[in-house]
Amino acid sequence: QVQLVESGGGQAQAGESLKLACVGSGTDFTAHSMGWYRQAPGKERELVASITSEHWPNYRDSVKGRFTISRDNAKNTVTLQMDRLQSDDTGVYYCNSALPVSWGTRNYWGQGTQVTVSS
């Protein structure tokens, strides 16, 4: 059974930093694109950052220059370093794994971890 387990969420003041980590198990994630999504109250889930199997990162505009995504295939982990946090970064952060398959994309999700940024 494929599982993604997040850790590292919590509370921070605006301008501070938090680091999220996600550990995968149950499959080889090497070929998967990994990413972090977030969902704020009353809003849809949105992509924050992703990283391809070749380690190419992609960020939403609002976090560029503040967040850094990285992965370690040997440890099946993906991390999100979040610096200079803003109140708009508040939400539940979900780890995602996406594997292209013949019929589309197979997605796996973690249970989510809360990030709360106060100004």
Side-chain angles (χ1 to χ4, degrees):
Q1 182 179 359
V2 177
Q3 286 190 318
L4 297 171
V5 179
E6 302 104 333
S7 62
Q11 295 186 335
Q13 296 287 325
E16 294 182 340
S17 300
L18 286 173
K19 186 174 184 178
L20 305 182
C22 172
V23 179
S25 61
T27 191
D28 181 359
F29 291 90
T30 303
H32 295 221
S33 175
M34 306 291 293
W36 290 92
Y37 287 70
R38 69 186 178 195
Q39 187 165 19
K43 295 187 177 180
E44 294 186 354
R45 191 174 296 189
E46 62 186 18
L47 175 66
V48 177
S50 63
I51 186 166
T52 69
S53 58
E54 295 84 14
H55 293 244
W56 291 104
N58 176 60
Y59 301 94
R60 71 179 300 106
D61 286 345
S62 64
V63 308
K64 286 180 179 178
R66 299 190 296 120
F67 290 10
T68 304
I69 190 170
S70 60
R71 65 186 293 169
D72 184 337
N73 289 338
K75 297 180 180 179
N76 278 350
T77 60
V78 59
T79 60
L80 184 68
Q81 176 67 44
M82 305 185 293
D83 298 322
R84 290 182 282 135
L85 284 162
Q86 303 171 355
S87 56
D88 288 348
D89 296 321
T90 294
V92 179
Y93 282 68
Y94 296 91
C95 180
N96 169 265
S97 167
L99 176 67
V101 293
S102 60
W103 46 262
T105 302
R106 179 172 293 163
N107 282 287
Y108 300 99
W109 296 93
Q111 80 286 355
T113 185
Q114 177 71 44
V115 172
T116 303
V117 183
S118 55
S119 57

